[in-house]
Amino acid sequence: MKKDLNYYLNLPYDIVVKKHSQSDGGGYGAFMPDFKGVAFFYGDGESPEEAIRDLQNAFEATLESMLGRGEFIPEPTEDKSVRVNITLPTRIVNILDAKAKEMCLNRSALIAELTRKAFMQ
């Protein structure tokens, strides 16, 4: 398979969205951890969706530049997913789904992100 711009744009890179503090001007920032130490690009916006769109534009421009220079482009880290069945009150599931939609994530990605923030930082 040819590893061109389209190839990299369709890989499942993780995107982390963080809310800026009011002292930092508010809004949201988005980045891709797989590129830490390789290339710097960032998305910024008033909403999570806007930050992700900004990140995607920066990502595409960075990829074009890296491909043009023949630089190493990391691929997503493989972190095998495991299916877990859990039982939660409907009210909690509704809150998770609403927050996930607001952040442009699915329920599983939101739970994974919240777990990383709570226990891995």
Side-chain angles (χ1 to χ4, degrees):
M1 169 174 269
K2 183 178 178 187
K3 293 188 177 184
D4 57 6
L5 180 63
N6 194 46
Y7 171 82
Y8 289 106
L9 289 174
N10 287 291
L11 290 176
Y13 290 101
D14 283 340
I15 295 175
V16 177
V17 178
K18 296 201 178 231
K19 185 170 184 152
H20 297 308
S21 67
Q22 288 303 324
S23 63
D24 288 335
Y28 295 84
F31 66 95
M32 293 178 171
D34 288 310
F35 282 83
K36 185 176 181 178
V38 177
F40 181 78
F41 53 94
Y42 192 76
D44 194 39
E46 292 301 314
S47 68
E49 297 85 4
E50 191 176 315
I52 290 170
R53 278 193 305 273
D54 190 48
L55 174 70
Q56 289 169 333
N57 290 333
F59 177 51
E60 186 170 345
T62 300
L63 283 176
E64 287 175 339
S65 178
M66 292 175 80
L67 285 166
R69 293 190 306 264
E71 293 181 16
F72 166 75
I73 299 172
E75 294 191 17
T77 53
E78 290 192 33
D79 190 5
K80 185 175 182 193
S81 295
V82 177
R83 179 174 290 279
V84 178
N85 293 318
I86 60 173
T87 303
L88 297 169
T90 302
R91 179 178 62 83
I92 300 298
V93 172
N94 290 339
I95 291 168
L96 281 170
D97 288 345
K99 193 60 162 174
K101 183 177 181 181
E102 179 184 313
M103 297 176 67
C104 299
L105 300 172
N106 62 38
R107 186 185 303 151
S108 294
L110 176 61
I111 292 170
E113 178 63 18
L114 293 172
T115 301
R116 278 191 287 273
K117 285 181 179 179
F119 302 109
M120 298 174 72
Q121 291 186 359

